[in-house]
Amino acid sequence: MEIWISDEEFEAIKRNKEKALEFLNNGDKLRTYLLSLKFKFLMEKLNNLEERLQEVEQEYRKLKAFESRAFEDKEFLLRIRRELSIENSNLRRKLNNESNLSKKSICEDYS
């Protein structure tokens, strides 16, 4: 088993060598101390993971909202595109009719 301690904790242990030697010589105290350090480490890890989970959940909600907005925008743009296509068809038809009428009148003028 490997236990990580902070620099501050390491310095505190060095300052209190006698206390540390007492811990090493007394198995129960050492075991209790190591378990408390392990518990502290695991609690910090758990808190970090919970914070990260909250961040991921928040980003996921934003992504789902963006996806919904993108779908709505796509539908809106498809409607606009359809309307423009219909309008363009009508305009072409009118232009062709006017062009045909003008050709017809020109032909009649020269006949």
Side-chain angles (χ1 to χ4, degrees):
M1 177 169 95
E2 188 172 318
I3 296 176
W4 292 80
I5 58 173
S6 67
D7 292 336
E8 295 84 26
E9 288 172 326
F10 184 71
E11 290 301 320
I13 291 171
K14 282 176 37 178
R15 279 193 307 272
N16 299 316
K17 281 184 184 178
E18 291 176 14
K19 205 173 195 181
L21 289 174
E22 183 182 327
F23 274 144
L24 290 175
N25 291 331
N26 187 338
D28 288 338
K29 282 186 179 181
L30 177 63
R31 193 173 300 111
T32 304
Y33 181 68
L34 291 175
L35 285 173
S36 69
L37 288 176
K38 184 177 181 180
F39 179 74
K40 180 181 175 185
F41 169 76
L42 291 175
M43 288 303 296
E44 288 174 4
K45 188 86 166 166
L46 178 64
N47 289 337
N48 291 341
L49 288 173
E50 287 174 344
E51 287 174 10
R52 181 67 183 131
L53 178 61
Q54 288 175 355
E55 290 171 7
V56 168
E57 287 174 341
Q58 183 179 8
E59 292 299 317
Y60 180 74
R61 282 191 296 274
K62 287 180 184 177
L63 182 62
K64 290 303 281 183
F66 176 77
E67 179 185 35
S68 175
R69 239 183 2 260
F71 181 76
E72 291 168 4
D73 289 349
K74 178 184 173 187
E75 291 297 314
F76 173 74
L77 290 174
L78 286 174
R79 273 195 320 273
I80 296 292
R81 187 175 177 192
R82 259 186 255 119
E83 290 172 11
L84 285 174
S85 177
I86 292 168
E87 187 175 335
N88 282 340
S89 295
N90 291 339
L91 289 173
R92 275 193 210 100
R93 198 174 313 115
K94 282 182 182 179
L95 190 61
N96 282 336
N97 288 340
E98 289 176 9
S99 173
N100 287 339
L101 287 176
S102 106
K103 284 181 187 178
K104 196 175 195 181
S105 73
I106 291 174
C107 287
E108 290 174 353
D109 289 342
Y110 284 110
S111 349

